[in-house]
Amino acid sequence: MRHITLITTGGTIEKTYDEQTGELVNRGSIVRRMLGRLRLENVHITTMELLNKDSLYMTDDDRATIVQAARAAQDVSDAVVILHGTDTLTLTGDLLAAQITTPRVPIVLTGAMRPFEMKRSDALQNLTESIFAAGTLSPAVYCVAHGRALKFPGVKKDRANGTFVAVAAG
């Protein structure tokens, strides 16, 4: 049985529609609803609801909290998956790679360009891919989305195409 710690931080992937304001907001984690849509054989997932923020509003202290949680989760898991807003996912990924230089397990960040609740959302696909990738990748920090696993550092958000891409070091 594989054990994965899933850390939620908010972001578009978990936004829900607020009928009173007409806005998409981070109210609380909906990851259990997402996981309920998946058939996961021989996988135990422990969910840690760490933050509930749009990543544009994350602070340096928030990122330090994510690093601390990921570092601790390595001790009790075969892999760590972090749900994160896509706007600043690469900042957190770079920080994780810089501060956890020799991870003991794969640490995978993922998010979504469209919330889980919307039609044509990439949320469930990216969550599924991240859980799968976490069981196959070697220990390092990655961004997994849209059929790709990209290793940090060297990842950026391609806003024009709505995905993440590898960039050359330098």
Side-chain angles (χ1 to χ4, degrees), residues 49-70:
E49 295 179 22
L50 190 64
L51 300 171
N52 196 24
K53 286 186 167 185
D54 184 307
S55 71
L56 290 172
Y57 302 117
M58 279 191 183
T59 65
D60 290 342
D61 286 342
D62 293 332
R63 289 183 211 297
T65 299
I66 294 168
V67 169
Q68 181 180 6

Side-chain angles (χ1 to χ4, degrees), residues 15-27 117:
K15 284 190 175 183
T16 56
Y17 180 70
D18 184 324
E19 293 176 8
Q20 293 184 339
T21 66
E23 298 175 332
L24 290 169
V25 294
N26 287 112
R27 281 191 264 200
E117 291 190 338

Side-chain angles (χ1 to χ4, degrees), residues 3-64:
H3 181 244
I4 296 174
T5 298
L6 182 90
I7 300 170
T8 68
T9 68
T12 297
I13 194 167
E14 292 196 277
K15 284 190 175 183
T16 56
Y17 180 70
D18 184 324
E19 293 176 8
Q20 293 184 339
T21 66
E23 298 175 332
L24 290 169
V25 294
N26 287 112
R27 281 191 264 200
S29 179
I30 62 167
V31 73
R32 283 174 181 72
R33 281 183 31 217
M34 294 170 68
L35 290 170
R37 302 265 316 265
L38 303 178
R39 179 178 171 179
L40 300 171
E41 299 292 329
N42 298 316
V43 177
H44 174 75
I45 296 181
T46 300
T47 303
M48 177 189 303
E49 295 179 22
L50 190 64
L51 300 171
N52 196 24
K53 286 186 167 185
D54 184 307
S55 71
L56 290 172
Y57 302 117
M58 279 191 183
T59 65
D60 290 342
D61 286 342
D62 293 332
R63 289 183 211 297

Side-chain angles (χ1 to χ4, degrees), residues 57-150:
Y57 302 117
M58 279 191 183
T59 65
D60 290 342
D61 286 342
D62 293 332
R63 289 183 211 297
T65 299
I66 294 168
V67 169
Q68 181 180 6
R71 184 177 282 127
Q74 295 182 104
D75 294 335
V76 296
S77 304
D78 300 312
V80 177
V81 173
I82 302 169
L83 298 187
H84 196 290
T86 62
D87 285 312
T88 66
L89 181 146
T90 58
L91 294 175
T92 303
D94 284 338
L95 184 65
L96 283 160
Q99 293 195 3
I100 305 176
T101 55
T102 54
R104 291 186 290 283
V105 301
I107 300 172
V108 175
L109 288 97
T110 196
M113 303 297 168
R114 295 177 63 91
F116 171 70
E117 291 190 338
M118 293 182 75
K119 289 182 180 179
R120 298 187 332 269
S121 172
D122 55 341
L124 198 57
Q125 173 186 333
N126 291 343
L127 176 61
T128 304
E129 290 176 358
S130 294
I131 292 168
F132 176 77
T136 62
L137 295 170
S138 60
V141 180
Y142 302 90
C143 171
V144 173
H146 310 123
R148 293 188 189 118
L150 307 169

Side-chain angles (χ1 to χ4, degrees), residues 113 145-148 150 156-165:
M113 303 297 168
H146 310 123
R148 293 188 189 118
L150 307 169
K156 77 170 192 168
K157 183 174 179 179
D158 179 346
R159 294 180 188 282
N161 292 305
T163 193
F164 292 93
V165 294

